[in-house]
């Protein structure tokens, strides 16, 4: 590891501090949403559509209403005053018109548009009673043809939404097509590839859950929910769906059992329980089961792409052309629209100096569960198509895939680097991560290993992927100019308590990332206070001033920066107080090693003394010095951060069975500065597992009628321990140039870089069979078929 | 409604349950032992793993009435007061958890594994974990934790809980 020369202390920046939160988790003392039970609570079960597309002719509730324990049953007619679930990002079509945004009702209005679309909410005194009653509801559906293939959806003649007659949400592009076409006309070689990015189910092991509560005396609503961003839920639900002012809504996201994007969005169930609790004067609790999660949690990816790369005779990239269909599912989820556009097309330069790029995206509605961000969100799709086409180009032109990449890398002296697709990379060293990854993987020794595998009848392959991602979303001004309907800063409050302990209130949300540890390390180091005396508070709108939450690997780069900004204000205030205590000039005060000192003297006050004085201000000059030591900060990033790295995967395939075994996986990432290497490595491991899962195992498959065939853990292949290898991970560092910690974000990298590394390795292993591409997931069956069709 | 009597974490329990009540529901809803989690409905994820008469069992696929007379241990019952069970300590030490949701089931399963394989190698651990899903860690550190936990249990040569 070549990151910064630390650690300086056992608990400071750079130390692999063991996690604070684990003390409760390993004892089973976490407090997840479903662990919460409120007095007098009722339970809601949702009756969901069994059809992918149908008109609802009638709903007969009479029998269900008489069933034991039933408290209430609601359908869309009861929710007439509520708004639809909003979309947070407006995309503008190529012709300048806005994208189509059909209403996404809380409960289906007159029509169902995917299997799992909620039709009725049944509330009873027990879950069992609610389930029993749901079975007594008679819905008369008139089935309509499902729209399943996004590439032909526009011409299908079936409209899912009146507001989108050709099932098109938007038709958007970036880049100057004429200029790119001209570059292609001069190319010595053209590589073309058609590929699909398979649809995935995020599958956090904790299913979603929500509990609504209402205090009729104060008019306050409380929602406990499995969310990555409670303030965003409060805003979207309050302002758009329930039309309740924010100060009357409290949203609590306690311990959350993984998110990976799927818990960013505002979901119908959250609005329903919050609203129903107020109608009934009793708490309403909903807990998803896994089968329900498969048809109600937003899914990820699902692109179909044609990519073309133009090269000159020396292998230099001249231009890139991409045409992608992106599946939105049946409705627009909260951030669905931005994934294929500004989180995908803008990443198509990758690590390369490709001078001109054109990308067109057609976003389509289909009769499937909505699609939104899933770990990586757009960047895995971009990295996959790019690293696949580069690999294929190397093969077609007889070049070493590592050498071709190197030849086209942006060089260290070229930063800041303006890409042709809007982003400006601040810093990086792509040679360094590639060198480290190839050395760790013993790239030069591969031919010998391949030959040895052959003696055992195995096909050995090696694959490289060099990814870049844009994290720390995002400067609000840029996001706003591109259609974001929100700012993307983060907020923090640092409260120094009278006895010197510190409570930090952060708008970031931890659902596995370990913020209670990492953030405390930053505070401990910056203020020179013991790690143990810092408490990190998150996940409750009643305690935290504001927050945009955790996604896009933004917590440390944006949320951590907000904390640093608040700490700077604490130090400034502390200097004022210490100057007063020491009867010195404020300008002469310095803060170092946990004490406020008068420069050039041995006079000082410790941090604890200053904290205490702040709350016992017996002789403060109150006109110029306020009591208390607590500061708020909002940090809006100046740019994205750009983590990058090279992954090398080595596989062996058994030609008789098509089974792929990953023999080695080497990852080298540049995350800038690192606060807690242990946690960072863990994040990479988790991302790699999800990326390898995408490449080899996972796939949401719908049949032609829109039934999800892979709707449980029996059918959807989740990566298990025996499917995965141990990983070799390392880092290099070019610190981010524009945030105070020099950090970039590490949460998604593994899931972004690994799918093309795996598929490149699989295709490499199959090269003797003349295979140039295989779609994900490369299951044994798919590989066996390829081998036997070519043999 | 049927009555069921059993011991849970060494405490005698008598409870009225419905015939269809699952053991996990009895533990979570009736006894408030919310450390045992539910992650699926097809007995695939193992988040609900507890020990019944010393063996790891998925508490989502057992009726509460089937636990009549049994000794049940949950994640809340494995530590020795404030002192963590060596397997719990190893999970923390090796960063074998992130969101913590799969963790109780992983730890309960791992403790049982060590009874069968006191000194498990990597492949043994990975195979044993077939019934436990984790979406966060990629299993790398879970495998490391379980091997370290097994070694610590051996060093402690102490009777396993339950
Ligand atoms: S909840 Fe028991 S195996 Fe998933
Ligand atoms: S730690 Fe989150 S599922 Fe395992």
């Amino acid at each position: 590891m070549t990151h910064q020369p630390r650690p300086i202390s056992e608990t400071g920046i750079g130390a692999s501090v063991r996690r604070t939160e684990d003390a409760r988790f390993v004892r089973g003392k976490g407090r997840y949403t479903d662990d919460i039970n409120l007095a007098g609570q009722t339970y809601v079960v949702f009756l969901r559509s069994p059809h992918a597309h149908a008109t609802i002719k009638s709903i007969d509730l009479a029998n269900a209403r008489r069933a034991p324990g039933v408290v209430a049953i609601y359908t869309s007619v009861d929710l007439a005053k509520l708004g639809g679930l909003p979309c947070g990002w407006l995309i503008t079509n190529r012709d300048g018109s806005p994208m189509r945004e059909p209403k996404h009702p809380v409960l289906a209005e007159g029509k169902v548009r995917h299997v799992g679309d909620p039709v009725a909410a049944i509330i009873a005194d027990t879950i069992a009673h609610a389930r029993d009653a749901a079975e007594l509801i008679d819905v008369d559906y008139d089935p309509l043809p499902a729209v399943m293939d996004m590439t032909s959806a526009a011409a299908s003649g079936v409209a899912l939404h009146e507001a989108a007659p050709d099932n098109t949400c938007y038709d958007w592009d970036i880049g100057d097509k004429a200029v790119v076409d001209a570059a292609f006309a001069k190319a010595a070689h053209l590589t073309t590839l058609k590929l699909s990015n398979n649809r995935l189910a995020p599958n956090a092991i904790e299913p979603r859950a929500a509990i609504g509560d209402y205090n009729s005396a104060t008019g306050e609503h409380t929602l406990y929910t499995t969310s990555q961003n409670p303030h965003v839920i409060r805003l979207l639900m309050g302002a758009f769906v329930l039309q309740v002012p924010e100060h009357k809504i409290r949203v609590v996201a306690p311990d959350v059992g993984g998110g990976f994007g799927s818990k960013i969005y505002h979901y119908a169930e959250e609005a329903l329980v919050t609203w129903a609790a107020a109608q009934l004067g009793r708490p309403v609790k909903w807990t998803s089961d896994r089968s329900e999660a498969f048809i109600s949690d937003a899914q990820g990816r699902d692109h179909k792409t044609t990519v073309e790369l133009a090269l000159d005779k020396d292998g230099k990239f001249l231009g890139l052309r991409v045409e992608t269909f992106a599946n939105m599912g049946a409705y627009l989820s909260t951030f669905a629209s931005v994934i294929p556009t500004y989180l995908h097309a803008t990443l198509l330069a990758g690590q390369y100096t490709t001078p001109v790029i054109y990308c067109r995206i057609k976003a389509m509605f289909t009769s499937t569960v909505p699609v939104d961000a899933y770990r990586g969100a757009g960047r895995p799709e971009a990295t996959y198509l790019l690293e696949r086409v580069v690999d294929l180009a190397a093969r077609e032109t007889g070049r070493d895939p590592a050498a071709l990449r190197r030849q086209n890398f942006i060089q260290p002296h070229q930063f800041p680097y303006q890409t042709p697709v809007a982003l400006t990379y601040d810093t990086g060293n792509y040679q360094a991560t590639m060198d480290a990854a190839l050395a760790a993987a013993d790239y030069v020794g591969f031919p010998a290993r391949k030959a040895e595998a052959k003696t055992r009848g195995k096909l050995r392959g090696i694959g490289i992927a060099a990814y870049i991602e844009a994290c720390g979303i995002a400067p609000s001004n840029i996001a706003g100019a591109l259609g974001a309907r929100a700012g993307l800063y983060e907020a923090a409050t640092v409260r120094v308590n009278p006895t010197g302990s510190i409570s930090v209130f952060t708008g970031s949300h931890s659902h596995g990332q370990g913020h209670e540890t990492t953030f405390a390390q930053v505070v401990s180091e910056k203020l020179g206070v013991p790690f143990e005396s810092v408490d990190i508070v998150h996940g409750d709108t009643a305690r935290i001033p504001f927050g945009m939450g955790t996604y896009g690997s933004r917590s440390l780069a944006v949320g951590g920066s907000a904390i640093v900004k608040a700490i700077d204000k604490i130090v400034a205030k502390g200097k004022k107080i210490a100057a007063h205590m020491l009867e010195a000039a404020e300008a002469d005060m310095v803060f170092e090693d946990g004490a406020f000192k008068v420069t050039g003297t041995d006079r000082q006050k410790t941090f604890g003394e200053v904290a205490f004085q702040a709350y016992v201000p017996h002789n403060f000059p109150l006109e110029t010095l306020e009591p208390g030591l607590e500061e708020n900060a909002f940090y809006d990033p100046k740019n994205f951060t750009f983590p990058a790295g090279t992954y090398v995967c080595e596989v062996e395939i058994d030609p008789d069975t098509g089974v792929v075994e990953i023999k080695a996986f080497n990852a080298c990432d540049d995350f800038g500065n690192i606060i807690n290497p242990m946690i960072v490595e863990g994040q990479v491991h988790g991302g790699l597992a999800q990326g390898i899962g995408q490449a080899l195992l996972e796939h949401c498959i719908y049949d032609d009628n829109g039934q999800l065939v892979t709707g449980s853990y029996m059918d959807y292949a989740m990566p298990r321990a025996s499917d995965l290898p141990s990983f070799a991970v390392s880092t290099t560092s070019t610190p981010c140039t524009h945030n105070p910690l020099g950090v970039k974000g590490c949460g998604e990298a593994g899931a972004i870089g690994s799918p093309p590394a795996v598929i490149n390795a699989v295709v490499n292993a199959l090269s003797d069979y003349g295979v140039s591409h295989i779609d994900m997931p490369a299951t044994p069956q798919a590989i066996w078929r390829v081998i036997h069709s070519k043999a | 409604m049927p009555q069921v009597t059993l011991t849970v974490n060494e405490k005698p329990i008598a409870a009225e349950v419905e015939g269809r009540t699952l053991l996990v529901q009895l533990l979570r809803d009736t006894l408030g032992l919310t450390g045992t989690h539910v992650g699926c409905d097809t007995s695939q994820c193992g988040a609900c793993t507890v020990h019944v008469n010393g063996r790891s069992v998925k508490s989502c696929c057992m009726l509460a009435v089937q636990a009549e007379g049994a000794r049940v241990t949950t994640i809340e019952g494995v530590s020795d007061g404030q002192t963590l069970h060596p397997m719990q300590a190893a999970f923390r030490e090796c960063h074998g958890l992130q969101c913590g949701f799969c963790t109780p089931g992983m730890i309960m399963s791992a403790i049982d594994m060590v009874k069968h394989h006191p000194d498990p190698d990597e492949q043994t651990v990975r195979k044993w974990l077939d019934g436990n899903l984790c979406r966060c860690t990629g299993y790398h550190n879970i495998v490391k934790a379980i091997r370290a936990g097994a070694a610590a249990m051996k060093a402690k040569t102490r009777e396993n809980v339950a």
Side-chain angles (χ1 to χ4, degrees), chain A residues 33-47:
Chain A
T33 302
D34 188 52
D35 299 341
I36 297 169
N37 291 297
L38 304 178
Q41 91 191 355
T42 60
Y43 298 83
V44 62
V45 161
F46 290 87
L47 180 69

Side-chain angles (χ1 to χ4, degrees), chain A residues 466-773:
Chain A
Y467 77 89
I468 188 157
E469 57 162 329
C471 290
I473 183 168
S476 294
N477 56 350
I478 297 181
L482 300 179
R485 288 162 168 162
L488 287 157
Y489 45 79
E490 195 48 274
T493 296
V494 173
R495 175 181 301 159
V496 181
N497 299 310
T499 55
S501 66
I502 295 171
S503 307
V504 177
F505 302 84
T506 172
S508 296
H509 186 278
S510 185
H511 30 280
Q513 295 88 342
H515 296 166
E516 292 168 41
T517 308
T518 303
F519 289 178
Q521 285 178 255
V522 171
V523 176
S524 158
E525 168 124 359
K526 295 266 173 201
L527 289 177
V529 297
F531 174 80
E532 296 72 27
S533 61
V534 183
D535 230 3
I536 306 295
V537 180
H538 62 93
D540 184 347
T541 62
R543 298 185 71 191
I544 291 142
F546 201 71
M548 295 308 295
T550 288
Y551 40 84
S553 305
R554 71 195 300 271
S555 294
L556 189 59
V558 189
S561 296
I563 293 172
V564 171
K565 208 171 154 189
I567 288 172
D568 290 344
K569 293 184 187 177
I570 292 282
V571 169
K573 173 86 182 280
K575 282 183 186 169
K576 275 198 175 104
I577 297 171
H580 164 72
M581 292 166 77
L582 293 163
E583 295 180 349
E586 191 188 325
D588 292 338
M589 301 303 301
V590 289
F591 180 67
E592 51 189 34
D593 304 327
F596 295 91
K597 301 174 180 170
V598 184
T599 25
T601 74
D602 59 357
R603 296 164 61 219
Q604 66 169 52
K605 289 287 174 192
T606 64
F607 185 80
E609 289 172 311
V610 169
F612 188 72
Q613 195 72 188
Y615 291 93
V616 189
H618 285 164
N619 60 356
F620 271 22
L622 294 171
E623 311 73 45
T624 53
L625 188 57
E626 251 182 71
L629 194 52
E630 170 169 330
E631 298 288 351
N632 259 319
F634 281 68
Y635 176 82
D636 202 316
K638 296 188 191 73
N639 191 356
F640 290 87
T641 65
F642 296 97
T646 296
Y647 291 175
V648 184
C649 177
E650 202 162 320
V651 301
E652 266 183 22
I653 296 175
D654 182 336
D656 295 332
T657 61
V659 169
V660 178
E661 189 189 345
I662 296 180
K663 302 302 282 186
F665 201 105
N666 283 276
C668 182
D669 298 283
D670 176 355
F671 296 134
N673 291 337
I674 287 175
I675 309 297
N676 185 320
M678 175 192 81
I679 288 178
V680 167
E681 285 179 16
Q683 288 292 309
V684 176
H685 295 159
L688 291 177
Q690 290 181 1
I692 292 169
Q694 167 162 34
L696 296 179
L697 298 162
E698 300 180 41
H699 196 185
C700 288
I701 301 171
Y702 291 88
D703 71 12
D704 292 344
N705 299 319
Q707 297 295 330
L708 181 63
V709 180
T710 51
S712 83
Y713 284 161
M714 310 279 273
D715 323 287
Y716 184 92
M718 286 281 281
R720 291 170 193 269
S722 54
D723 295 317
L724 297 170
S726 280
F727 308 111
V729 302
S730 64
T731 55
T732 60
S733 175
T734 57
C736 171
T737 59
H738 55 80
N739 65 43
L741 292 166
V743 297
K744 295 184 178 179
C746 65
E748 295 162 294
I752 293 171
S754 56
V758 175
I759 295 299
N760 288 344
V762 168
V763 172
N764 179 255
L766 296 174
S767 55
D768 291 350
Y769 294 89
V771 175
S772 58
H773 180 67

